[in-house]
Amino acid sequence: MSIEITGARIWLRLPYGIVITETQVNMWLVMLVIAIVCKWLTHNLQVKPTGRRQVIAEYLVKLTTNLVKDKMGEGFKNFAPFIAALFSFALLCSLSSLLGMYPPTADLSTTLGWAIVTFVLILYYKIRTEGFLGYLKGLGDPIPILAPFNILGEFSTPISMAIRLFGNISAGLVISTLVYAVLSWLSSIALQWLPDVLAGIPLLQIGLPAILSIYFDLFSSFLQSFIFCMLTMLYISQAARKEI
Amino acid sequence: MERALVLMACAIGAGISMLGGIGPGIGEGYAVGKACEAIGRQPESKGDVTTTMLMGCAVAETTGLYSLIISLLLIFVAPGLFIGRL
């Protein structure tokens, strides 16, 4: 019996040390799916909705716009497409493990990339509201000796966001692989007195891993993508708020 | 011998590092309990309380996930790193 837990497999090695990994290929697939769904939902739009398709599209747009308005304030209405894209991308990336693919969010590079985008936005809004000098002054708050800790705190935001998403999804991957291995070992022990043909029946693997999959794949990936987007919104709107 | 020692140290270290999972467990349990109290007191605020609780739980989970990352590194990365150097 062998248990195999690996990171993303490398599929192609290009010159100059560029590699194409499973993560990238799966992400391209997810992007393609999102693009096709968006195109399908929004082609042939009319002023008065005739089909069910346009109603769904309008509902989704209204939902994200209301959420963004609710959490970030009226001035950040333009963030709705960004948040919707981030959420749908994160959700579909995590859910791709249901199809037996390697979920791209189980790779730290992916989540760290998104977190760095958020970090740049936070930095931009902080500098825009307080000015560059004001931002530097804010780092030495309340006394200048604490500046190293404040700088550490600035960088811990994207790292904790990235590790939260990555840790949850990859922990689900590792735990479900381990449980699957244990179940196959148990069922081979329980059935070893039978002849060879019957002993190969995966008795315990039927059904039990599905319960784990519901938690780790469905619930956890939905919750973590939602939380990633919520934290993005919270941090950005907090950065833009002027402190009194 | 040295190989076995390195593997043993990595495995024990990974196990010890996951003791960090205790803290988030206690904290999240406490948060969920308080959320249940709040819903019991004001059932009409169920939606808001649940969203806030899930957010707080996810944030509280971070420390546990840090220890998980250290465990994963100790299991998957550290043995190769150290055995390669022996």
Side-chain angles (χ1 to χ4, degrees), chain A residues 50-122:
Chain A
T50 47
R52 196 177 292 162
R53 211 182 56 225
Q54 192 179 343
V55 176
I56 293 173
E58 280 177 5
Y59 173 72
L60 289 176
V61 169
K62 210 174 272 175
L63 195 72
T64 44
T65 316
N66 282 342
L67 185 73
V68 170
K69 259 192 216 164
D70 204 33
K71 297 290 171 200
M72 294 177 83
E74 193 71 39
F76 286 95
K77 226 165 56 182
N78 298 340
F79 262 90
F82 171 65
I83 299 294
L86 198 63
F87 179 69
S88 57
F89 199 24
L91 182 65
L92 284 187
C93 277
S94 308
L95 283 182
S96 69
S97 67
L98 279 178
L99 300 175
M101 286 155 68
Y102 179 81
T105 35
D107 195 334
L108 188 55
S109 325
T110 316
T111 53
L112 199 59
W114 297 341
I116 286 172
V117 171
T118 306
F119 179 59
V120 170
L121 280 171
I122 293 170

Side-chain angles (χ1 to χ4, degrees), chain A residues 5 160 163-164 166-168 171 223 227 230-231 234, chain B residues 51 54-55 58-59 61-62 65-66 68-69 72 76:
Chain A
I5 301 170
S160 74
I163 284 182
R164 191 170 299 127
F166 159 75
N168 271 290
L223 190 64
I227 280 163
M230 286 289 278
L231 286 179
L234 278 181
Chain B
T51 322
L54 285 177
M55 282 279 300
V59 174
E61 226 171 39
T62 315
L65 288 168
Y66 285 153
L68 174 78
I69 299 290
L72 286 178
F76 292 109

Side-chain angles (χ1 to χ4, degrees), chain A residues 196-235:
Chain A
D196 273 353
V197 184
L198 288 173
I201 296 174
L203 183 70
L204 291 169
Q205 285 113 295
I206 304 170
L208 275 178
I211 298 167
L212 273 181
S213 174
I214 285 173
Y215 176 74
F216 283 120
D217 291 336
L218 280 174
F219 178 72
S220 187
S221 50
F222 183 82
L223 190 64
Q224 292 305 323
S225 341
F226 183 67
I227 280 163
F228 193 87
C229 295
M230 286 289 278
L231 286 179
T232 306
M233 289 192 280
L234 278 181
Y235 283 136

Side-chain angles (χ1 to χ4, degrees), chain A residues 10-29:
Chain A
I10 292 172
W11 279 10
L12 195 65
R13 279 181 194 278
L14 296 176
Y16 307 111
I18 303 168
V19 288
I20 304 285
T21 58
E22 222 175 346
T23 310
Q24 279 157 310
V25 176
N26 289 355
M27 273 172 97
W28 289 332
L29 284 177

